Amino acid sequence: MTSTPSSPYLKRIYIQEVVTRDGFQAESAFVPTEEKIALINRLSRAGYAKIEVTSFTSPKAIPMLADAEAVMRGIDRVPGVEYTVLIPNLKGAERALSVGVDEFNLVMSVSEAHNLANLKMSCEDSFKGLVSVIDLAHANSTAVNISLSTSFGCPMSGITSLADLMHWIDRFAAAGVRGITICDTTGMANPAQVQAVCETAQAKYPKLQWTLHFHNTRGMGLANALAAVNSGIDRFDSSLGGLGGCPYAPGATGNICTEELVHMFDLMGFDTHMEIDALLACSKDLQSLMGRTLPSQLLMAGKVDRVYEAPCQS
């Protein structure tokens, strides 16, 4: 971990890992439970603020995460790290409560077309169902975050208007969520749009815990993250090695790569609280586990302080 105390950018940035949920759920080969647990235990000691461990979705819908209870029971709970899980409905919430989680992360799309494709229901029906989950969480003193997919755009319905996004932010804020994640699910955001969204949302609800969730589909992931930071955001979802993707967005890649995000913020003097060398070691091992090259450019090129022996001159 590096920092520059004299930097005008110096402030705490909270990194939230999603690889064992968002990354693994789209894999064709099941990642063994013990491998998931071992990876989460390593990540828990790398400086994260939060780790999205798994999803309590139906095993039939997402067989890659059918071992949700076993993973939650098997991991080490490191002090200072929040362990969140994706909750689709009341049944999933009850399963999660049985093993103990720090936070419910709920999800619905701002785009009607994407919500129908992804969750098989209208946005209004999703909202009604999620309010029941929020009530159950409050009754059990469990924090709730709502992740709003396609907050910037949808490949089926185009760019998302700020008014449409704020409509759902208003309704979930009124329902009593602790935090809201604004998701660029299909990698359609640009820095100017990010700035406008972040400034508007924070101005209206300054006490909510705001998180930005970017994908790097069109190469603007880190630029969008920087625009969000400059607009006051201090929490980011990211995926180790850049693993993941959206099945309803042709060509969509995974979340912004954790080690690339941390590397950039560390170089600029932000306090990420992260151990970059530990991240790179985890990413290298993840690449071996997946059996293919991951999108991480930092894993391929190394940190900027990596030096090479000069070629011999004859």
Side-chain angles (χ1 to χ4, degrees):
M1 181 173 65
T2 60
S3 63
T4 309
S6 61
S7 170
Y9 295 109
L10 183 63
K11 75 172 190 178
R12 176 70 193 274
I13 301 294
Y14 300 87
I15 306 297
Q16 305 178 169
E17 182 58 59
V18 301
V19 69
T20 54
R21 196 280 298 176
D22 205 348
F24 286 170
Q25 72 175 12
E27 290 299 302
S28 57
F30 184 80
V31 177
T33 302
E34 59 272 19
E35 295 283 3
K36 293 171 182 169
I37 292 171
L39 176 59
I40 293 165
N41 286 345
R42 291 176 68 186
L43 295 175
S44 291
R45 293 169 173 83
Y48 285 98
K50 187 184 294 187
I51 296 174
E52 189 177 38
V53 175
T54 187
S55 171
F56 283 83
T57 309
S58 166
K60 292 182 180 179
I62 306 182
M64 303 309 160
L65 302 181
D67 56 355
E69 283 92 344
V71 172
M72 281 302 306
R73 289 191 180 102
I75 61 172
D76 297 334
R77 304 292 184 92
V78 174
V81 182
E82 277 196 300
Y83 297 91
T84 186
V85 296
L86 187 70
I87 301 292
N89 50 36
L90 275 174
K91 185 175 181 179
E94 290 164 355
R95 289 172 58 201
L97 288 173
S98 73
V99 294
V101 299
D102 296 324
E103 180 189 70
F104 287 177
N105 182 31
L106 315 182
V107 63
M108 67 164 276
S109 300
V110 175
S111 159
E112 188 77 17
H114 190 271
N115 207 67
L116 287 167
N118 191 37
L119 300 177
K120 314 304 181 188
M121 65 181 75
S122 69
C123 291
E124 189 61 38
D125 285 343
S126 280
F127 178 76
K128 290 176 182 177
L130 293 179
V131 167
S132 298
V133 177
I134 293 169
D135 291 342
L136 179 64
H138 289 165
N140 287 274
S141 302
T142 301
V144 181
N145 183 80
I146 175 68
S147 291
L148 293 174
S149 300
T150 62
S151 289
F152 297 94
C154 166
M156 292 168 277
S157 53
I159 299 300
T160 301
S161 73
L162 183 54
D164 285 346
L165 174 59
M166 290 306 300
H167 168 77
W168 292 109
I169 286 175
D170 289 341
R171 295 185 70 179
F172 279 105
V177 298
R178 178 183 68 166
I180 295 179
T181 301
I182 302 175
C183 303
D184 184 27
T185 313
T186 59
M188 295 173 67
N190 69 75
Q193 184 187 21
V194 169
Q195 179 180 346
V197 166
C198 292
E199 290 178 352
T200 301
Q202 290 176 105
K204 190 165 188 180
Y205 298 106
K207 294 184 179 181
L208 283 178
Q209 185 183 93
W210 292 102
T211 300
L212 268 290
H213 176 113
F214 293 115
H215 285 235
N216 199 42
T217 306
R218 292 167 177 84
M220 288 188 280
L222 292 184
N224 286 331
L226 187 55
V229 163
N230 289 337
S231 301
I233 298 296
D234 61 6
R235 287 182 177 271
F236 293 90
D237 285 348
S238 58
S239 182
L240 189 71
L243 191 67
C246 175
Y248 301 104
T253 56
N255 295 59
I256 49 177
C257 175
T258 300
E259 57 266 33
E260 292 176 0
L261 183 69
V262 170
H263 184 248
M264 179 184 76
F265 282 149
D266 281 352
L267 287 172
M268 294 181 70
F270 291 104
D271 176 16
T272 64
H273 211 65
M274 298 291 294
E275 297 293 339
I276 186 65
D277 291 327
L279 285 181
L280 285 168
C282 287
S283 187
K284 182 179 180 181
D285 290 343
L286 178 63
Q287 184 165 265
S288 297
L289 179 63
M290 294 295 100
R292 67 177 188 275
T293 301
L294 297 181
S296 173
Q297 293 175 308
L298 191 67
L299 188 59
M300 178 173 60
K303 298 182 295 181
V304 295
D305 61 3
R306 179 178 179 179
V307 295
Y308 300 85
E309 185 175 346
C312 296
Q313 297 188 12
S314 54

